[in-house]
Amino acid sequence: MAFGDYILVLFLTITCTHAEPDCIPNANCFYTFGDTIDCSSLNLQHPPCFSSSSNITHINLSNNYLEKFPVHLPTALEYLDLSYNRISGDSPMLYTIYRRLKYLNLDHNAITNLSFFSVISNMSNLESLSIKGNTDNLYSKYPNNLLVGLDSLSHLRIDGVQDGNFGDIFLEDKIESLKFLDASGYNCVCKISHLRWHVLDKFNLTYLDLSFCDIRSIEIGALNAQTYLQYLDVSYNQRLGFRGLANISYDLQNSAIKVFRLAKIHCTFGPFILFYFILLLNHTKYLHNTSLEELYLDSNRLEIMEIGVLPNLPKTLKHLSVGDNKMDDGMYVLQVNSLYNLVILNVSFQIYSHTNYFDGCNDYSYSCHIGPEVALLNTGQQQGSSNITFYLPKNLKRFYANNMKLHIRVGEVHFSDCNLEFVHFQNNFFVQIHGPIFGCDDVRYVDFSNNFCTFISAQVLKFSPKIEILNVSQNDLGFTLEKDINGEIFGNNRNLSVLNLHDNKIHILPEKLLKNNSRIQLLNISYNRIEKWRVDIRHMFLLQHLDLSYNLSTELDETALNLLPQYNNFTINLLGNPLVCSCASQFFLEWMNRQHRSRFVHLQNITCSYTDGSRFSLRDLSDIVQKLQKNCSSYTLLIIGTSSFIFLLLSVTMYRIIYRYRWTVFYIYYLTKQSLFPEVKRSQRKVFYEYDAFISYSEHDRRFVFKQFKKMESGGLRFCIHDRDFIPGKDIAENITNAIHNSRRTVCVITSHFLKSYWCMFELNMARMESIYSRGGDNILLLVLLENHIVREMPLSLLHVIESKSYLEYPDEEHFGSIGTFWRNLEHTIKDEE
C-alpha cells in the first residue's frame, strides 16, 4: 500500500471517529406530559438530543445502553433517571449542565471510579440521589467526604458497606437536610454485619431502611441520635434475632417512631428447631415508652409470646402483623383485647410449611438462642371448639386470618366489643358454617373464599346486615344455594353491592335467591356449571356487571332474558360458555345483535358453534344472524309443513279409530255421566229392573208396536216405549241409555225403516254395549224380524249380531195359529231371567 493510501485511510478513520454522534435527533421517546418525557427501555446507545432552552424538567432514560452521561440536556432539567445503563462516570464538567437537578438516579450502572462523585458534589440543588448497585465487590468503607457539598440532599439511597460509615461521606459535623436513608440490600448490595453505635450520629433521620443487610448485631446507642425517626425497617436480617430487637427498642425510646418492621429476623430452620421461637417481654419492654403505630413481626417462626408482651406494647399501636409464623392458641391470645386502639390485626399464614429448608442461616449463634427467660413462660394450650367467644380490641376494623389451615366446623360464635368492618378468612378449611354469629353487626367486607365449605346456613349472615362485599368463591356451596328457594341465605344483607360465587360447583340457582338484594352492582357466578339462567335480578337497579363466564350455557333463552334488568347500563360476560348458533338460539342472537351488543364484554373472544361443529367468533354477530335468518326461514316452513302433515295423519287415524268404536265411546260417555251426576243415579244397575224390556222401533212401525205390546203389558209385563215413557226435556241419547240400563231386555223390532233410522241403530248398538260392559256379557238383546227377507238388507256388522244373539221371525198371517205362538214365545223370552 502506498503512503498516500495510508494517509487516506487515516483521514477517513479520523473523520468517522469525529462523526460518531453524541446524541440521537429522533429517539421515539414518549411524551407523558408537557414537561415530562419517557425514553426508557428503547435500547439506546446514545441519548436523544434536547434543546437547552426546552421546558422539559423530567427525563427517564433508564434501561438502555448508555455509557456516558448525557450532555445535550435542557438547562431546566430537575429529574433524571439513568438507572440500569452502563455509565462509568467520567464527565468532570457535567455540573454545569445539571446545576438545577433535584433528582438523580444512577442505580445499577458501572461506576467503579469514585472520582465521579466530585461531579455530583457540585450539584448544590440535588435533593434526592440513588447510587445503588454500582459495584460487585463492595468497599470495606466509603471514602471520607465522598458527598461533600450536597447541602440540599434529603433522600439518599446507597449500598451498605461492611463498616456502614455513612456519616464519614459527609464533611459537616451534622447533616440537617438528610431525612431519608435507604441502605437496604433488596435488589442491591448491603453487607453490614455489625451496626456500630456511632455510624449514624451525624443524621437526624425520619426514614431508615436497613433490610436485607445481613446484620447480626446492633449495638445499643446506634439509633440513639435518631430522635425524629418515624420509619425503621430491619427486616430480613435473618441472624439478628429477637435479641437484636431488645437493643433497638432501647434506642427507640426517645424517637418519634411510628412504623417498625422486623419481618424475618430469625432463621426459618436451624440447629435448635425443636425449641420454641419465643418473643419475651425483655425483647419489647422499651417499646412501651414509644408512640409506635405499626409493628410487623412476620415470618419469624414465632411460636409463642410470654404473658405480658401484648399488654406492654404501646397503646398507640394501630397495626400489628404477626403473619407467617407458627403461633398457637396460648394464653396470650386472651390479652389481644388490651390493645384497644388496634385497627388492623394480621395473623395469616400460621402453621404454614416452608419449602426452603436451607435459607442460608448457618451461623445460628446470633439468632437461634435459648435463654433462661424461657422458664418464665406459661405455655398452657386451649382446645378449639365449634362454639367460640372471641375477645377483640374494641377499635379493631380489619382482621386477616387467611391461609391458616384452620379445620373448623363453625357453630355458634360470639364476639365481644366487636367493631370489625373487614374480615379475611380465605384459604382455610371451614367445611360447614352453621352459626349464628353474634356481635359483629358493622362488618362490611367478608372474604371467605377457598374454604372447601359445603354448607352455610341462613343464620350465618343474618346478623351482619351492613355487609357490602361478600366473597364466598372457590367453595362447594352449589347444593346449599340450590335449596335456598326463598332467598334466606342473603336475605338480610340488603346493602350487598358485590357478591362473588365464583367456582362453587353450581348447577342451578333458584329464582328468588337474591330477591332482597336490590343494591348489588357486581355479581360474579363464573366457573360454575349453570346451563339455564333462572335467577330474577330485574329489581337490581344498580347492577353494573353480571359475570357468567365459563359455565355451560348454550344461550340465554327468552325466559332468562326476561329476568334481566331492562336498562342498558350493565354488562354481561359469557366468555367460555358453549354457545350454539342454531335456529333454537336465533331469538337470543337477534336480541344481542339488535340492541344489546355493547352489553356483552369480550364479545370478540366469544365463539359459538354451528350444528356441523364449526365455531365462529361473535365479533361477526351481524353476519351470523343473517345466515341464521336465511337458513332457519326455509327450515321453519319445512317444520310447519311436516307438522301439518303429521297432524292431519293423526287426525285421520284418530277419526277412523273413533268411528270404528263409536258405539263404545257413546256408551261409556253416557254411562260415566250417569255415575257422576246425582239426578241420574237411579239409572245405575239394580237387582230388580224398572222395566222388563225396552222396545226399540221405527216411527213407521209405531202403530203395530203400540197395539201388540200393549196387549202383552196386560199380562203383567212392563215395557219402556220411547213415545210414551221418555222424560221430556232430557237429551234423547241420555234417555235411550237410561232406558236400556234400567231394562232387563232390549227388544228391537227390525224392519227396513229400522235399518234406515239413525236412532234405531243407536239404540241397538247401545244395547250391545250394555251387554258387554254392564251385564258381564249376558245376552239382553232380542231381535224381532217383522219383514221377510230383511236379513238381506242388513249391513255386515248387524249380521254378526243376528248370528250371535237371539232373534224371532214374525210369521206370515196365512199360517193360522202361528202368530199367537210367536207372541207367547216372545213373552216367555222376555220373562226369562238372566
Side-chain angles (χ1 to χ4, degrees), residues 499-777:
L499 177 59
N500 191 345
L501 298 173
H502 159 88
D503 193 7
N504 263 284
K505 301 178 179 63
I506 300 172
H507 290 84
I508 188 171
L509 292 175
E511 180 178 349
K512 297 181 180 180
L513 177 70
L514 303 173
K515 67 177 183 180
N516 295 317
N517 310 107
S518 61
R519 303 184 66 84
I520 290 181
Q521 300 179 32
L522 174 61
L523 182 57
N524 186 351
I525 315 183
S526 60
Y527 287 90
N528 283 290
R529 302 166 184 175
I530 296 176
E531 296 183 13
K532 299 289 184 181
W533 178 255
R534 291 295 179 263
V535 184
D536 189 355
I537 56 175
R538 288 173 291 182
H539 58 291
M540 295 183 184
F541 57 93
L542 296 176
L543 187 64
Q544 298 178 11
H545 185 67
L546 172 61
D547 193 343
L548 289 174
S549 59
Y550 296 97
N551 277 278
L552 300 177
S553 299
T554 58
E555 62 168 330
L556 292 180
D557 57 22
E558 190 169 358
T559 301
L561 295 176
N562 290 332
L563 294 174
L564 299 178
Q566 298 305 309
Y567 59 90
N568 295 322
N569 294 331
F570 78 98
T571 57
I572 307 173
N573 187 358
L574 288 175
L575 183 67
N577 281 274
L579 299 182
V580 175
C581 291
S582 65
C583 296
S585 60
Q586 182 180 354
F587 176 83
F588 167 57
L589 296 172
E590 288 179 345
W591 179 85
M592 272 179 76
N593 186 58
R594 184 169 57 251
Q595 54 185 353
H596 303 284
R597 288 175 63 100
S598 60
R599 180 172 294 183
F600 293 86
V601 299
H602 304 298
L603 191 64
Q604 69 278 5
N605 297 322
I606 300 176
T607 61
C608 67
S609 61
Y610 282 97
T611 53
D612 60 0
S614 58
R615 302 194 67 85
F616 292 88
S617 171
L618 291 189
R619 72 165 65 93
D620 304 319
L621 183 58
S622 299
D623 297 336
I624 293 173
V625 169
Q626 290 180 3
K627 182 178 180 180
L628 287 177
Q629 288 174 341
K630 179 180 179 180
N631 295 339
C632 296
S633 59
S634 57
Y635 183 66
T636 302
L637 293 177
L638 179 61
I639 291 176
I640 294 174
T642 304
S643 301
S644 300
F645 174 76
I646 293 174
F647 177 77
L648 180 62
L649 183 62
L650 291 175
S651 299
V652 172
T653 303
M654 290 298 296
Y655 173 77
R656 291 178 62 86
I657 293 173
I658 293 174
Y659 181 78
R660 180 176 180 181
Y661 298 99
R662 63 190 182 279
W663 305 117
T664 303
V665 174
F666 286 149
Y667 176 77
I668 293 175
Y669 167 74
Y670 288 109
L671 193 62
T672 303
K673 187 175 181 181
Q674 291 176 24
S675 64
L676 292 178
F677 295 97
E679 63 270 14
V680 298
K681 284 185 177 180
R682 61 183 178 81
S683 64
Q684 296 174 354
R685 183 177 181 182
K686 306 177 183 61
V687 176
F688 299 99
Y689 292 96
E690 187 176 351
Y691 301 103
D692 292 300
F694 169 65
I695 311 302
S696 176
Y697 59 91
S698 170
E699 288 296 318
H700 292 82
D701 305 316
R702 181 173 58 176
R703 180 176 296 180
F704 173 79
V705 169
F706 266 81
K707 178 181 177 181
Q708 298 299 332
F709 284 92
K710 195 170 183 181
K711 290 180 182 180
M712 295 177 66
E713 283 185 326
S714 60
L717 292 175
R718 179 165 174 75
F719 299 125
C720 179
I721 301 173
H722 72 265
D723 286 316
R724 181 187 68 188
D725 299 315
F726 276 11
I727 299 174
K730 183 170 287 192
D731 182 65
I732 186 171
E734 190 173 346
N735 268 316
I736 291 172
T737 54
N738 287 341
I740 294 173
H741 198 60
N742 293 323
S743 302
R744 188 167 59 251
R745 299 278 189 178
T746 297
V747 178
C748 295
V749 181
I750 306 297
T751 64
S752 58
H753 298 293
F754 185 97
L755 298 176
K756 296 176 182 179
S757 172
Y758 170 80
W759 289 112
C760 289
M761 296 301 294
F762 181 86
E763 291 166 347
L764 186 147
N765 282 286
M766 289 298 102
R768 290 174 55 203
M769 298 302 108
E770 174 75 12
S771 64
I772 296 172
Y773 294 104
S774 293
R775 308 293 176 91

Side-chain angles (χ1 to χ4, degrees), residues 70-83:
V71 176
H72 301 280
L73 295 176
T75 55
L77 188 65
E78 297 179 357
Y79 177 104
L80 179 60
D81 189 347
L82 292 171
S83 59

Side-chain angles (χ1 to χ4, degrees), residues 774-829:
S774 293
R775 308 293 176 91
D778 293 340
N779 182 20
I780 69 166
L781 188 60
L782 181 60
L783 305 182
V784 177
L785 307 182
L786 286 188
E787 297 179 354
N788 293 330
H789 312 296
I790 190 64
V791 176
R792 298 176 182 176
E793 301 180 18
M794 289 184 181
L796 294 177
S797 59
L798 196 56
L799 288 176
H800 173 71
V801 177
I802 293 295
E803 295 176 357
S804 60
K805 304 294 180 181
S806 300
Y807 71 94
L808 295 173
E809 288 184 299
Y810 191 74
D812 294 334
E813 294 182 359
E814 57 192 33
H815 294 87
F816 180 75
S818 60
I819 295 178
T821 303
F822 169 82
W823 291 112
R824 283 192 296 273
N825 290 337
L826 178 59
E827 182 178 356
H828 176 74
T829 303

